[in-house]
Amino acid sequence: MINYDTDKLDRLLKDFYNATGINMDFYTEEQKSVSGSTNRENIEYCRCIHGTAEGNRRCLASDAELLEKCKKSKKSEMHTCHAGLVDVAVPIIHNDSIVGYVIFGQIRTESEFSRVEKYVARLGLDTEKMNKLYSDIPLSDSLKIDSILNIATVLAKHIMLENMLKPDYDKVLDTAVSYINKNLEKPMSVHDIAHNTNTSKTVLYDRFRRAFDSTVSEYINSRRIERSAEMLKGTDMSVEDISDAVGFSGASYYCKIFKRKMGMSPSRYRQKCKEKQ
């Protein structure tokens, strides 16, 4: 559980923008924005794209994709968004765990507008106007981006040092989560978890609701699905065997929960993973 000093974070983001002219935002480890200050709408080109339903959807998806790459690598990640601008995500790490991210971007690295002109036209925007707005964004080279990345990396560490993020570890919750992760393959009830963490079921329900916005059972199923997804991707075990290995009472129930969480059946998920390889 993390407490955020949003006032300090907002001031830091504004200082970064004032010093570099580059926009920066802060996201939680759950990839949600908690800071109220953002300068993203200062870029008229992006503001026009955000003003369309499809453009706004693509912008949100682009940020989510970048953060997911950063989450997997635990390193800074860079990509070019759908609108032709570069964004960079930097993880904030505490005790080897990601507790947040900073993203800076809306950086133009291409002089020509032609690469995104057709996309902008499909959004129903005036390409002549958008070409001018695109050209108004200062052109940056890789050296400048690397320099800004170095500054952002220092700021990510500064955020922890200045207690802008304050990890607030709940011993009961931490013990319960540890017990669940070590015993996923076994039958498990809330009573079992409460007994092994020396607490009551009422306390457990309250802690899981506040920390994960879920019931204890929903959290267990979520962890089982996550582990099974790794097994579907990395082994040739049958769906039935994986269902047993992660603690589900039956393959049909497992498939039902997996599809609810992942949007597809376990077999389809395995097939899509193979297609990406």
Side-chain angles (χ1 to χ4, degrees):
M1 298 176 67
I2 309 293
N3 296 315
Y4 305 97
D5 190 329
T6 54
D7 289 338
K8 284 186 177 180
L9 285 168
D10 288 347
R11 286 197 297 271
L12 183 68
L13 300 185
K14 288 177 180 177
D15 287 343
F16 182 85
Y17 176 76
N18 291 336
T20 66
I22 301 295
N23 298 321
M24 177 181 276
D25 289 307
F26 172 80
Y27 287 80
T28 70
E29 79 281 5
E30 297 170 334
Q31 303 180 8
K32 297 179 181 178
S33 176
V34 298
S35 179
S37 85
T38 177
N39 296 291
R40 290 192 169 224
E41 296 306 309
N42 288 346
I43 306 294
E44 180 66 19
Y45 173 76
C46 292
R47 191 187 310 165
C48 291
I49 292 174
H50 295 165
T52 69
E54 176 63 13
N56 189 58
R57 185 190 69 78
R58 291 286 298 275
C59 286
L60 293 174
S62 179
D63 283 347
E65 179 185 344
L66 178 59
L67 289 173
E68 194 60 30
K69 287 170 60 179
C70 191
K71 177 181 178 181
K72 290 180 179 178
S73 70
K74 287 190 176 181
K75 298 178 180 178
S76 300
E77 294 289 349
M78 178 187 311
H79 79 174
T80 302
C81 77
H82 62 104
L85 302 179
V86 169
D87 290 319
V88 182
V90 180
I92 302 170
I93 297 178
H94 176 72
N95 288 343
D96 200 38
S97 296
I98 294 178
V99 293
Y101 307 84
V102 288
I103 291 184
F104 68 88
Q106 296 172 296
I107 301 171
R108 182 169 71 97
T109 58
E110 298 283 344
S111 58
E112 296 297 325
F113 178 67
S114 56
R115 194 172 69 83
V116 291
E117 184 172 3
K118 290 183 179 179
Y119 165 73
V120 168
R122 287 198 298 271
L123 294 179
L125 298 169
D126 185 313
T127 54
E128 184 175 342
K129 174 187 175 182
M130 294 300 287
N131 188 356
K132 180 182 182 306
L133 294 177
Y134 181 81
S135 300
D136 287 342
I137 302 172
L139 188 64
S140 300
D141 57 20
S142 59
L143 181 61
K144 180 175 180 179
I145 294 175
D146 286 343
S147 296
I148 297 172
L149 174 57
N150 289 335
I151 295 171
T153 302
V154 172
L155 288 181
K157 296 177 181 178
H158 177 75
I159 285 172
M160 291 304 304
L161 290 173
E162 290 297 312
N163 293 320
M164 296 181 198
L165 303 187
K166 299 177 183 177
D168 182 16
Y169 293 107
D170 185 317
K171 289 184 179 180
V172 170
L173 185 66
D174 192 48
T175 303
V177 168
S178 178
Y179 177 83
I180 290 169
N181 289 334
K182 290 177 181 178
N183 296 279
L184 280 179
E185 74 283 359
K186 302 174 183 177
M188 200 183 323
S189 69
V190 178
H191 175 78
D192 295 331
I193 301 168
H195 175 73
N196 282 276
T197 54
N198 295 315
T199 190
S200 69
K201 292 193 291 185
T202 301
V203 169
L204 277 183
Y205 286 130
D206 179 65
R207 300 295 170 83
F208 274 78
R209 180 186 57 78
R210 289 193 293 114
F212 305 115
D213 193 26
S214 73
T215 66
V216 181
S217 297
E218 287 170 346
Y219 179 83
I220 294 171
N221 279 343
S222 179
R223 289 294 296 119
R224 284 173 169 163
I225 293 300
E226 289 171 5
R227 184 169 293 182
S228 76
E230 295 171 2
M231 298 172 75
L232 287 165
K233 190 186 307 183
T235 75
D236 293 323
M237 293 173 62
S238 69
V239 170
E240 290 77 11
D241 287 343
I242 290 176
S243 171
D244 290 338
V246 297
F248 279 100
S249 57
S252 60
Y253 179 63
Y254 162 62
C255 291
K256 177 182 177 181
I257 300 299
F258 189 97
K259 187 171 184 179
R260 182 187 300 165
K261 180 174 176 60
M262 306 297 284
M264 65 187 78
S265 69
S267 299
R268 177 58 182 154
Y269 178 83
R270 171 174 273 168
Q271 181 182 346
K272 286 181 71 69
C273 288
K274 289 181 178 179
E275 291 171 357
K276 292 179 180 179
Q277 294 176 353

